[in-house]
Every structure is written in structure tokens, then in C-alpha cells.
């Protein structure tokens, strides 16, 4: 398996993968809008053989520090539970660290994302329309623990509401 940046020639295939993984087009429209708005700061694919098995995106968040939002994470159903999602999340975390981000937020399954260090208890101090048990943060800087405030995903996320 290879994790690499997406190529422009793969955008329609990635949209199909995202729609297939989520069983609808909301998330594929989200990634298209994030790209259009210039908010797709990291967009990675997992390649197995000649096929794109999955995709993950990081976008900037409005926060009291440099934060990114991890969403969506998509893996084709036939490649799920084979490590593609894990490899994509790890690569996205590495890229966020290299970019100097202080934190990554995610809205997802606490059991799944908890394996990577995302914590819902640390996210409770932040105001967000997505606040709740599935809203988690992965601190990449120690100063984050003393920071509270409003955090918002990129404007494209409001189209999901």
C-alpha cells in the first residue's frame, strides 16, 4: 500500500469512492467544495495495486490556535478492515505535524479515532456546533491543553447541516 497526495486526474474517482463509502453524495460534495474554496490543505489517497482504496482530507479550522479538521475519511468497502483507513489517518497526522498544526479535530467513532490519540474529553472545553461524544481532538502541541474557545470547521461543512 502506498499513501500519497491525490492527483488532479483522480478527483472524479475519489468522489465516487467517498460516495460509495458513505452511501450517499453529501461527503463527496463536501470534498469538492473544500477544494473549490481552497480549504483542502491535505488530500491523500491510499493506493493498493493499481486501485485507489481510500482517501482522507485535512482542512483548516477557525480556532484560537493553528488547527485542522480531519474529514472525511473514506475507504472503499472492499478494502475496509485491511489497514487503508489506519494508514491514511497516520499519514494525515504526520502531515499535520510537519505543517506545524497545534491540533487536529475529528467528528467520528471514539473507539476508532481513540487509537490514534484523539480524545473527546479534551474537546469538551471547545465550543462547536459539533460538540458531543463524537467530537474529538488530537493535541499536537502541549499548549493546547490550556486553551479553550470556539472552533469551527471550514465553511463548506455548513452544507452538511
Amino acid at each position: 500500500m502506498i499513501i500519497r497526495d491525490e492527483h488532479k486526474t483522480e478527483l472524479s474517482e475519489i468522489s465516487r469512492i467517498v460516495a460509495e463509502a458513505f452511501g450517499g453524495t453529501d461527503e463527496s460534495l463536501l470534498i469538492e467544495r473544500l477544494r473549490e474554496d481552497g480549504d483542502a490543505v491535505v488530500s491523500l489517497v491510499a493506493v493498493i495495486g493499481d486501485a485507489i482504496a481510500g482517501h482522507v482530507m485535512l482542512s483548516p479550522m477557525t480556532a484560537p490556535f493553528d488547527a485542522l479538521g480531519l474529514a472525511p475519511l473514506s475507504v472503499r468497502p472492499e478494502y475496509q478492515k485491511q489497514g487503508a483507513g489506519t494508514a491514511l489517518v497516520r499519514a494525515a497526522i504526520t502531515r499535520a505535524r510537519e505543517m506545524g498544526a497545534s491540533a487536529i479535530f475529528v467528528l467520528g467513532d471514539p473507539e476508532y479515532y481513540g487509537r490514534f490519540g484523539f480524545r473527546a474529553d479534551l474537546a469538551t472545553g471547545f465550543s462547536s456546533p459539533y460538540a458531543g461524544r463524537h467530537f474529538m481532538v488530537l493535541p499536537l502541541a502541549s499548549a493546547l491543553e490550556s486553551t479553550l474557545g470556539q472552533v469551527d470547521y471550514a465553511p463548506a461543512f455548513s452544507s452538511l447541516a
Side-chain angles (χ1 to χ4, degrees):
M1 179 182 331
I2 297 170
I3 306 296
R4 62 165 172 75
D5 290 314
E6 69 179 14
H7 297 151
K8 289 192 184 281
T9 58
E10 300 166 332
L11 301 186
S12 62
E13 182 179 1
I14 291 168
S15 288
R16 281 192 304 277
I17 291 167
V18 174
E20 191 177 323
F22 281 94
T25 59
D26 287 349
E27 287 78 5
S28 61
L29 294 172
L30 170 65
I31 63 168
E32 290 172 15
R33 179 143 179 236
L34 286 165
R35 286 186 193 113
E36 289 169 8
D37 293 349
D39 286 332
V41 295
V42 174
S43 193
L44 304 172
V45 293
V47 180
I48 298 175
D50 292 335
I52 296 177
H55 172 264
V56 70
M57 189 172 277
L58 291 173
S59 57
M61 294 187 70
T62 303
F65 45 82
D66 186 18
L68 298 169
L70 188 151
L73 169 64
S74 310
V75 177
R76 279 189 166 149
E78 64 267 28
Y79 291 105
Q80 290 178 3
K81 303 203 185 301
Q82 296 180 31
T86 297
L88 284 164
V89 172
R90 289 188 197 284
I93 292 168
T94 297
R95 189 69 68 89
R97 279 193 173 104
E98 291 169 355
M99 294 170 65
S102 296
I104 305 171
F105 286 85
V106 70
L107 185 65
D109 178 18
E111 187 174 317
Y112 182 79
Y113 288 101
R115 299 181 301 142
F116 305 101
F118 286 90
R119 294 179 43 191
D121 63 319
L122 292 180
T124 59
F126 297 99
S127 300
S128 168
Y130 301 98
R133 165 176 131 61
H134 292 94
F135 185 63
M136 296 165 281
V137 63
L138 173 65
L140 301 176
S142 59
L144 173 68
E145 293 182 21
S146 63
T147 308
L148 302 175
Q150 178 73 29
V151 293
D152 290 302
Y153 283 93
F157 283 86
S158 64
S159 66
L160 288 178

